[in-house]
């Protein structure tokens, strides 16, 4: 499968990693939309949050559990946004589940 984020997870595509554990990896977004913009992805290929099931719930839980520590390490503890886009209409361009962590500035209240 030709997946950019699988390539980043395996190391075959370079990235600026800020966190890694057994189940997930976080790296800086190529086109940052805030001073802090990191993507957290499962190591396992899951297309989007629409694909969550009992079989991969632990992978999602690992991401959510890691996010506060990642945010803290990036200096945005207590004030940041987490977004996951799902499918074409949700604005998802990379079809490997990822959670955006955005912060480092007062974010707009608009979500669309
Ligand atoms: P989304 O629109 O939610 O699917 O966001 C995909 C994000 O992935 C977008 O903000 C740009 C980022 N991105 C795409 N290709 C690469 C890449 O090769 N490296 C990194 N670090 N980020 C990428």
């Amino acid at each position: 499968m030709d997946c950019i984020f699988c390539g980043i997870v395996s190391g075959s595509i370079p990235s600026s990693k800020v966190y890694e554990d057994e189940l997930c990896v976080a790296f800086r977004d190529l086109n940052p939309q805030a001073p802090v913009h990191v993507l957290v992805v499962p190591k396992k290929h899951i297309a989007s949050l629409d694909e969550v099931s009992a079989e991969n719930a632990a992978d999602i839980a690992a991401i959510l559990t890691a996010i506060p520590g990642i945010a803290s390490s990036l200096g945005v503890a207590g004030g940041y946004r987490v977004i996951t886009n799902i499918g074409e209409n949700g604005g998802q361009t990379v079809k490997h589940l990822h959670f955006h962590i955005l912060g480092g500035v007062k974010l707009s209240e608009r979500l669309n």
Side-chain angles (χ1 to χ4, degrees):
M1 190 195 307
D2 198 14
C3 171
I4 297 169
F5 290 173
C6 284
I8 287 176
V9 167
S10 73
S12 65
I13 294 176
S15 71
S16 178
K17 286 186 186 167
V18 298
Y19 175 84
E20 180 164 9
D21 66 26
E22 194 186 337
L23 296 176
C24 66
V25 175
F27 52 90
R28 294 192 188 273
D29 194 288
L30 199 60
N31 302 308
Q33 296 186 35
V36 170
H37 188 172
V38 159
L39 304 173
V40 195
V41 311
K43 288 187 168 176
K44 182 191 291 183
H45 184 88
I46 301 168
S48 79
L49 203 66
D50 225 20
E51 304 281 310
V52 173
S53 67
E55 284 69 45
N56 58 33
D59 298 274
I60 316 298
I63 292 173
L64 297 181
T65 303
I67 284 174
I70 296 169
S72 181
S73 75
L74 296 170
V76 298
Y80 57 95
R81 179 170 294 157
V82 176
I83 296 171
T84 188
N85 296 325
I86 300 164
E88 298 290 332
N89 283 352
Q92 184 181 10
T93 59
V94 179
K95 305 298 192 274
H96 180 131
L97 173 65
H98 51 283
F99 289 79
H100 298 255
I101 300 176
L102 296 149
V105 69
K106 175 90 171 76
L107 295 165
S108 158
E109 292 178 13
R110 278 187 67 92
L111 290 178
N112 66 348

